[in-house]
DNA sequence: CCTCCATATATTTTT
DNA sequence: TATATGGAGG
């Protein structure tokens, strides 16, 4: 454990009021938070069970918990809560579900569930499904801003918003009927609960006496309100954030919450952490210069004592192919020459689509790599199928899950049968599952079909019983064999190898569930909870990580790189329309793109390289590219340009300041 | 119910 | 240009 610097120490020791820590990139904010938790417990006599630390990702929460545990002895940390916002919300809803009108075992709808439900609603009610994505975003925005369906309808402007508001109210009713919540509800519902039931809020306030919030600049309106409600009056909290690393505004994050804090808590103390323990001086100089182009409320200037370091390179390439080739070759030679492991290198890009060529080039040169992001594990068919089975088991009202699994594998229940079942269920005001075995159904359907439906229901009923009385994991394993899921997968796979892989995912999921149940310290985790955790991606990433010891070049989007660090960083596609993304140029919101570039730069410990292509194939046609304006904003004396061979002789001679202008002039021709 | 061809469509995504 | 989705037809 390293010593804290005076500012960090101050942040740890200040407990007499609300505190905002503006922690620059690499300034050791996690140390501050973890040390502070230990301090609160060991020096201030606050019991761990009264402390709550919130993060945005499971990974951050896990890491934090591990580091705190290392600082504590024995049972000191018992009852400490370190969780994500969503997990905290989930726990609140679970404890108070009846007040909110949910039954135990409620489902959590992920993005794809939400989308399919919305398309369904729109098709049924409004004949047409154009812009389901847009409507989904609008609804999500409303929820993040704590706007309920009625209010949304009242304030909707234009036909699109009005339709969205109507769909919203319909959607919310349907979710309730399905006994389900979506991700946004995990925050919104607790806030509503606290607003409407002061007694319940008091109970939670008494439970949470000190609160710490990480990545505060990423909180949205409802998350902030949740924090505010919980800490009120007592105002015992520490929030840590960095306005310069706010890159999720498009997702509802409100970096202005940092300012808001000052107004809501006049006694707020602000501490800035500017010493960086990660990068060379030159990299930080670059980062500082770039970000100074953004308007600022608080001005930070990162510095470090890690030496000035190498020049920052900017490499111009003929096209996107040459760009990827160049990066691959550089990493290869650097790895061979200096014996540095591949995991020292990271390749960052703006959009996932850029990863493809890069991946190809790395493969050609047999360079191992790890790609994060892209199609998620949860997007896979077999995972969705299985998750739907799990969900239906703990929540029979989940029609979405029912529809997904009813014909997986084939049970000869076609669309006509389901339509009739659905009409009947709506009429009777019960779930599809419930309706499947009701006597009255036979008036609408022939015996053959009612038989098939009721057989399914009875099978699931029996399974549910086993899950709750017996060993649930064993029951689920048996289920997979019972329904001959492997055969179903085989039929739907292109090759035997693909089938094996997919069955691997199935057993992996079961394993994750098993571990979740076993690793629970309190030992009282139910399958409902375990399944909910699975939907929240919790307990899954953990296994993924320790599976493949992380050897290989790291490839990820700039967004995904936040919070990480690498000795050598390559940022590719430094071009107008890519790094300041086209739409952000159009909507005049390049500040966030600049922060994105800033995040990328500050990931690098020692070496930083930018690349860009002068020509690029896009949607079938070749287009000329202009180097990113952000390159212009960097201190030119610290940049070393390469790849200007094709440039006119005089340009070749004139490096530095005028180089970029010359390339521009040349590209114009 | 499944397969194939035409057509549209092209950011970032912690949960 | 590549990929995903949906409709038509077997």
């Amino acid at each position: 454990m390293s010593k804290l610097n005076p500012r960090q120490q101050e942040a740890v020791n200040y407990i007499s009021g609300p505190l905002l820590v503006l922690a620059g990139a690499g300034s050791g904010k996690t140390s501050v938070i973890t040390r502070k938790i230990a301090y609160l417990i060991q020096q201030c006599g606050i019991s761990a069970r009264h402390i709550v630390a919130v993060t945005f990702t499971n990974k951050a929460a896990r890491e934090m918990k591990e580091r705190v545990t290392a600082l504590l002895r024995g049972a000191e940390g018992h009852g400490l809560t370190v969780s994500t916002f969503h997990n905290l919300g989930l726990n609140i809803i679970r404890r108070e579900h009846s007040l909110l009108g949910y039954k135990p075992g409620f489902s959590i709808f992920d993005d794809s569930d939400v989308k399919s439900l919305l398309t369904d609603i729109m098709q049924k009610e409004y004949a047409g499904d154009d812009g389901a994505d847009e409507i989904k975003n609008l609804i999500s925005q409303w929820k993040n801003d704590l706007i309920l369906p009625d209010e949304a309808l009242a304030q909707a402007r234009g036909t699109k918003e009005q339709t969205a508001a109507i769909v919203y109210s319909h959607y919310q009713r349907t979710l309730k009927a399905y006994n389900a919540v979506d991700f946004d509800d995990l925050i919104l519902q607790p806030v509503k609960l606290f607003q409407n039931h002061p007694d319940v809020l008091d109970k939670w306030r008494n439970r949470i006496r000190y609160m710490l919030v990480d990545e505060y600049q990423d909180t949205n309106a409802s998350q902030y309100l949740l924090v505010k409600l919980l800490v009120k009056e007592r105002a015992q909290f520490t929030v840590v954030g960095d306005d310069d690393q706010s890159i999720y505004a498009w997702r509802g994050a409100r970096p202005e919450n940092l300012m808001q804090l000052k107004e809501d808590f006049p006694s707020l103390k602000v501490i800035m952490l500017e010493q960086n323990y990660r990068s060379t001086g030159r990299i930080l100089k670059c980062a500082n210069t770039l970000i100074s182009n953004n308007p600022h409320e608080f001005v930070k200037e990162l510095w470090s004592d890690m030496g000035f370091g190498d020049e920052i390179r900017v490499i111009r390439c003929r096209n996107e192919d040459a760009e990827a080739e160049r990066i691959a070759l550089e990493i290869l030679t650097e790895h061979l020459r200096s014996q540095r492991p591949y995991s020292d290198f990271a390749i960052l890009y703006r959009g996932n689509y850029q990863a493809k060529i890069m991946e190809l080039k790395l493969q050609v040169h047999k360079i191992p790599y790890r790609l994060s992001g892209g199609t998620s594990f949860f997007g896979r068919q077999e995972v969705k199928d299985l998750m739907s089975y799990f969900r239906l088991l703990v929540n029979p009202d989940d029609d979405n899950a029912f529809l997904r699994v009813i014909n997986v594998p084939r049970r000869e229940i076609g669309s006509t049968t389901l339509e009739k079942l659905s009409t009947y269920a709506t009429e009777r005001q019960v779930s599809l599952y419930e309706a499947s075995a009701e006597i009255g159904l036979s008036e609408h359907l022939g015996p053959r079909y009612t038989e098939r439906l009721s057989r399914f229901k009875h099978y699931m009923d029996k399974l549910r019983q086993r899950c709750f009385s017996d060993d649930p994991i064993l029951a689920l394993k048996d289920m997979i064999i019972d329904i001959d899921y492997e055969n179903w997968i085989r039929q739907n796979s292109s090759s035997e190898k693909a089938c094996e892989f997919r069955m691997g995912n199935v057993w992996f999921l079961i394993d994750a569930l098993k571990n979740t149940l076993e690793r629970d310290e309190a030992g009282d985790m139910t399958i409902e909870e375990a399944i909910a955790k699975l939907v929240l991606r919790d307990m899954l990433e953990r296994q993924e990580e320790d599976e493949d010891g992380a050897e290989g070049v790291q490839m990820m989007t700039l967004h995904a790189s936040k919070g990480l660090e690498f000795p050598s960083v390559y940022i590719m596609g430094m071009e107008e329309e890519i790094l300041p993304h086209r739409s952000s140029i159009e909507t005049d919101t390049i500040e966030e793109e600049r922060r994105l570039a800033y995040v990328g730069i500050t990931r690098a410990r020692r070496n930083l390289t930018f690349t860009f292509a002068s020509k690029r194939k896009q949607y079938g046609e070749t287009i000329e590219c202009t180097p990113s304006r952000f390159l212009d904003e960097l201190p030119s004396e610290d940049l070393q340009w390469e790849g200007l061979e094709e440039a006119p002789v005089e340009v070749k001679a004139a490096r530095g300041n005028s180089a970029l202008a010359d390339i521009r002039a040349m590209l114009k021709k």
Side-chain angles (χ1 to χ4, degrees):
Chain A
M1 275 295 136
S2 58
K3 264 228 175 79
L4 295 180
N5 69 38
R7 311 251 74 194
Q8 291 175 320
Q9 195 64 58
E10 192 185 359
V12 168
N13 294 350
Y14 186 84
I15 55 155
S16 49
L19 173 66
L20 164 63
V21 180
L22 279 169
S27 63
K29 64 169 181 136
T30 312
S31 295
V32 169
I33 300 178
T34 50
R35 296 284 269 266
K36 183 147 193 170
I37 295 173
Y39 177 76
L40 288 166
I41 296 173
Q42 295 174 328
Q43 310 293 319
C44 309
I46 300 179
S47 154
R49 42 171 289 107
H50 288 140
I51 300 172
V52 169
V54 216
T55 64
F56 277 82
T57 65
N58 293 313
K59 203 174 138 199
R62 207 182 312 133
E63 198 180 300
M64 200 168 281
K65 193 151 199 178
E66 272 162 23
R67 287 179 60 175
V68 174
T69 313
L71 291 172
L72 297 174
R73 256 160 305 161
E76 280 179 335
H78 202 74
L80 174 71
T81 304
V82 182
S83 80
T84 62
F85 263 105
H86 294 264
N87 225 320
L88 178 68
L90 173 66
N91 285 333
I92 296 172
I93 299 178
R94 179 169 297 119
R95 293 276 149 74
E96 318 290 350
H97 66 265
S98 48
L99 275 174
L100 285 163
Y102 295 103
K103 288 175 264 178
F106 56 85
S107 301
I108 301 167
F109 273 26
D110 70 13
D111 259 21
S112 60
D113 292 310
V114 170
K115 223 184 126 183
S116 77
L117 178 55
L118 282 175
T119 344
D120 200 50
I121 290 174
M122 289 171 71
Q123 250 160 7
K124 263 203 199 118
E125 308 290 320
Y126 309 99
D129 60 345
D130 55 303
D133 268 321
E134 217 179 331
I135 289 191
K136 182 173 150 275
N137 285 337
L138 273 170
I139 294 179
S140 180
Q141 270 172 46
W142 277 324
K143 286 192 166 192
N144 288 161
D145 287 339
L146 296 151
I147 297 169
L148 299 179
D150 293 342
E151 302 162 68
L153 196 58
Q155 64 164 71
R157 284 177 295 119
T159 36
K160 191 153 275 163
E161 285 194 14
Q162 274 174 343
T163 326
I166 297 166
V167 174
Y168 178 19
S169 76
H170 203 106
Y171 167 75
Q172 206 53 34
R173 277 201 307 275
T174 317
L175 271 186
K176 208 57 172 271
Y178 288 0
N179 191 27
V181 296
D182 62 19
F183 284 144
D184 299 324
D185 277 334
L186 290 174
I187 314 297
L188 177 66
Q189 299 298 338
V191 169
K192 267 171 49 188
L193 173 83
F194 289 154
Q195 285 175 333
N196 299 331
H197 299 269
D199 50 319
V200 181
L201 176 56
D202 270 349
K203 193 178 84 189
W204 282 86
R205 274 187 190 159
N206 199 38
R207 150 97 172 73
I208 301 172
R209 309 225 179 127
Y210 201 99
M211 206 163 174
L212 302 101
V213 183
D214 191 17
E215 303 282 13
Y216 182 72
Q217 76 284 348
D218 289 340
T219 51
N220 61 36
S222 59
Q223 284 160 339
Y224 176 41
L225 193 54
L226 182 63
V227 173
K228 209 160 86 177
L229 283 166
L230 284 170
V231 302
K232 233 0 189 314
E233 288 118 38
R234 199 161 15 206
Q236 291 283 13
F237 65 86
T238 297
V239 305
V240 182
D242 181 2
D243 44 343
D244 290 331
Q245 291 189 72
S246 162
I247 53 174
Y248 286 106
W250 53 274
R251 245 193 142 221
R254 294 270 191 88
E256 61 273 22
N257 280 348
L258 285 167
M259 299 310 130
Q260 191 62 41
L261 216 52
K262 244 182 181 172
E263 285 173 33
D264 291 343
F265 301 92
S267 62
L268 182 76
K269 180 171 173 82
V270 180
I271 294 176
M272 275 201 223
L273 302 182
E274 294 170 297
Q275 182 174 3
N276 173 293
Y277 295 94
R278 177 187 295 157
S279 313
T280 65
R282 204 192 298 261
I283 288 167
L284 295 177
K285 181 181 166 195
C286 263
N288 286 329
T289 323
L290 176 76
I291 207 65
S292 68
N293 288 287
N294 272 1
H296 277 91
E297 204 82 18
F298 307 102
V299 177
K300 284 195 298 334
E301 182 114 356
L302 295 180
W303 60 277
S304 83
D305 52 16
M306 325 233 1
F308 198 50
D310 298 342
E311 276 181 315
I312 283 137
R313 293 179 312 144
V314 183
I315 304 174
R316 170 177 171 271
C317 307
R318 213 170 315 283
N319 53 38
E320 78 276 15
D321 195 74
E323 183 187 34
E325 176 78 17
R326 175 69 193 261
I327 295 175
L329 281 177
E330 275 216 15
I331 293 178
L332 182 66
T333 47
E334 192 56 29
H335 164 78
L336 292 174
R337 204 185 56 194
S338 60
Q339 297 294 323
R340 289 165 60 193
Y342 280 124
S343 52
D344 271 14
F345 303 86
I347 304 168
L348 310 181
Y349 36 81
R350 175 67 236 254
N352 273 313
Y353 66 97
Q354 291 169 275
K356 240 173 104 182
I357 338 161
M358 198 60 244
E359 223 186 324
L360 208 80
K361 290 292 174 192
L362 291 174
Q363 279 168 5
V364 167
H365 295 287
K366 302 214 161 52
I367 300 170
Y369 62 89
R370 277 170 50 98
L371 192 137
S372 58
T375 342
S376 79
F377 181 75
F378 282 87
R380 306 213 139 95
Q381 191 207 336
E382 62 275 17
V383 177
K384 281 187 182 169
D385 286 346
L386 220 51
M387 289 299 292
S388 293
Y389 266 106
F390 295 168
R391 273 164 39 184
L392 189 60
L393 276 173
V394 297
N395 177 20
D397 290 335
D398 193 335
D399 283 2
N400 236 26
F402 177 91
L403 289 171
R404 180 153 190 113
V405 300
I406 186 69
N407 261 323
V408 173
R410 200 110 294 139
R411 289 191 183 88
E412 301 177 287
I413 296 167
S415 53
T416 344
T417 310
L418 286 175
E419 217 157 280
K420 284 184 178 155
L421 174 68
S422 160
T423 332
Y424 175 77
T426 319
E427 207 175 276
R428 294 269 304 122
Q429 300 265 29
V430 295
S431 65
L432 295 177
Y433 185 82
E434 199 57 44
S436 293
E438 281 201 6
I439 312 291
L441 185 61
S442 56
E443 286 165 29
H444 303 258
L445 271 169
R448 254 175 87 153
Y449 302 100
T450 51
E451 218 282 306
R452 286 172 187 166
L453 284 169
S454 69
R455 189 157 32 143
F456 173 69
K457 179 172 184 288
H458 288 137
Y459 173 75
M460 291 297 281
D461 280 343
K462 226 172 67 201
L463 192 65
R464 180 174 309 114
Q465 263 180 1
R466 260 193 80 191
C467 269
F468 286 105
S469 58
D470 202 17
D471 175 7
I473 297 298
L474 202 65
L476 292 174
K477 280 185 179 168
D478 282 349
M479 176 193 84
I480 291 165
I481 293 162
D482 281 347
I483 64 175
D484 202 5
Y485 192 69
E486 182 159 7
N487 231 338
W488 163 256
I489 284 294
R490 185 167 290 116
Q491 282 166 17
N492 286 288
S493 297
S494 47
S495 64
E496 183 57 27
K497 217 174 166 189
C499 170
E500 253 171 59
F501 175 76
R502 294 171 70 183
M503 277 316 282
N505 287 334
V506 167
W507 297 122
F508 177 76
L509 200 64
I510 296 280
D511 236 39
L513 201 58
K514 189 176 149 210
N515 287 332
T516 308
L517 285 169
E518 281 172 359
R519 286 196 208 187
D520 177 48
E521 323 158 355
D524 61 352
M525 188 176 283
T526 62
I527 358 162
E528 283 107 318
E529 287 173 74
I531 291 170
K533 287 215 162 215
L534 225 52
V535 180
L536 292 181
R537 319 290 198 255
D538 204 1
M539 297 316 216
L540 206 85
E541 296 145 353
R542 165 186 314 220
Q543 303 197 353
E544 254 175 71
E545 302 254 324
D546 37 61
E547 220 174 87
D548 41 2
E551 175 54 20
V553 176
Q554 314 258 358
M555 289 174 62
M556 67 194 79
T557 62
L558 287 158
H559 281 92
S561 74
K562 194 170 79 163
L564 305 174
E565 59 176 53
F566 312 93
S568 288
V569 167
Y570 290 80
I571 302 179
M572 62 192 295
M574 282 300 285
E575 291 150 42
E576 288 290 302
E577 316 254 288
I578 294 184
L579 190 36
H581 193 271
R582 177 131 111 254
S583 57
S584 61
I585 296 172
E586 281 160 7
T587 57
D588 201 34
T589 52
I590 49 152
E591 282 90 4
E592 179 144 318
E593 299 287 305
R594 192 175 281 116
R595 290 192 290 264
L596 199 49
Y598 176 82
V599 166
I601 293 171
T602 51
R603 298 310 96 195
R605 293 172 69 95
R606 314 221 66 85
N607 305 302
L608 176 62
T609 308
F610 295 105
T611 63
F612 67 94
S614 46
K615 284 193 177 107
R616 189 176 285 275
K617 255 208 261 187
Q618 218 169 46
Y619 313 145
E621 59 183 338
T622 306
I623 55 157
E624 300 272 330
C625 308
T626 316
S628 168
R629 68 187 71 186
F630 298 146
L631 291 172
D632 276 324
E633 295 174 3
L634 297 175
S636 51
E637 68 273 19
D638 295 302
L639 303 185
Q640 184 184 34
W641 291 78
E642 274 181 52
L644 304 181
E645 298 79 30
E646 281 174 312
V649 188
E650 63 272 20
V651 174
K652 218 173 178 177
R655 292 269 276 273
N657 284 347
S658 59
L660 196 56
D662 287 332
I663 297 167
R664 291 228 160 94
M666 195 192 70
L667 288 175
K668 283 223 172 81
K669 281 189 223 163

